[in-house]
Amino acid sequence: MDDTEVYFEQNSYVKARIIQTKQKVNNVLIRGYGVLDNAYSPTDYDIPGESDDGSRQAIHILGKNIEISGLSIVNTLKECGEFGYALNINANWAPVAVSPADSLGVFEAGELQNGNPPYKARPAHCQDFNMDDTPNTDFTNCPTSQNDGAKVSFVKAISWQMGQDGINA
């Protein structure tokens, strides 16, 4: 949601995920010197706009004026195996949701890695082109400069597993 602030008390420990994929947001502040642990088994695979359990992200936000400061992001889930992400802001591989969500099927990175264009016509969030190479015309809540782009400071991403991405902003 726009204009949202989440504060972690010092030394707090929270098992949760912060995921925003339904629409692009504006003015989100997540701060504090606590720990966010993505430690739970996914119940469903990715449902665009609703969940991204398959990629097991701790924080995933699309939009502008997003600031994250002070957090330690960990993943203590042993079943996570060799795949997962700590923090993604405006990930260029994550399209925005379509309605109805199942009209194009679940987005799967393997579609890009193992397939050839044309790709399913999923809308991009802040890229110049949609996934089917048509021009993106909706840049609502997209960063237009470094001033309204992502700001990440004093954030730690810790995982004991190989294949865990750190911070992508």
Side-chain angles (χ1 to χ4, degrees):
M1 291 177 48
D2 289 350
D3 304 313
T4 297
E5 182 173 346
V6 177
Y7 178 72
F8 286 76
E9 292 282 339
Q10 188 169 349
N11 299 319
S12 61
Y13 178 80
V14 178
K15 287 186 175 184
R17 299 168 68 224
I18 300 171
I19 307 299
Q20 172 60 29
T21 59
K22 191 163 269 193
Q23 63 186 23
K24 294 173 276 187
V25 295
N26 187 17
N27 295 323
V28 173
L29 173 61
I30 302 170
R31 64 185 179 91
Y33 292 99
V35 175
L36 176 64
D37 186 354
N38 179 9
Y40 77 96
S41 295
T43 55
D44 294 313
Y45 201 71
D46 293 356
I47 303 170
E50 293 179 27
S51 78
D52 65 341
D53 283 349
S55 55
R56 298 171 176 95
Q57 299 180 68
I59 298 176
H60 182 202
I61 301 174
L62 308 175
K64 69 178 182 178
N65 296 311
I66 299 165
E67 183 175 344
I68 301 174
S69 178
L71 279 182
S72 293
I73 304 168
V74 301
N75 186 344
T76 60
L77 180 65
K78 293 178 184 176
E79 293 83 29
C80 191
E82 55 192 44
F83 188 67
Y85 300 94
L87 168 63
N88 281 309
I89 300 174
N90 291 324
N92 62 2
W93 48 264
V96 294
V98 293
S99 183
D102 60 354
S103 64
L104 293 174
V106 174
F107 172 71
E108 178 62 58
E111 181 180 335
L112 301 179
Q113 296 166 341
N114 303 321
N116 293 312
Y119 300 112
K120 294 179 182 175
R122 294 185 179 90
H125 53 86
C126 292
Q127 287 76 37
D128 291 331
F129 294 93
N130 296 308
M131 291 181 74
D132 64 352
D133 287 330
T134 60
N136 181 10
T137 58
D138 180 11
F139 292 97
T140 308
N141 283 346
C142 286
T144 56
S145 70
Q146 195 167 8
N147 291 336
D148 62 5
K151 293 168 184 64
V152 178
S153 60
F154 304 104
V155 172
K156 296 177 233 44
I158 304 164
S159 178
W160 61 271
Q161 299 145 316
M162 291 181 58
Q164 297 286 317
D165 278 358
I167 298 170
N168 302 303

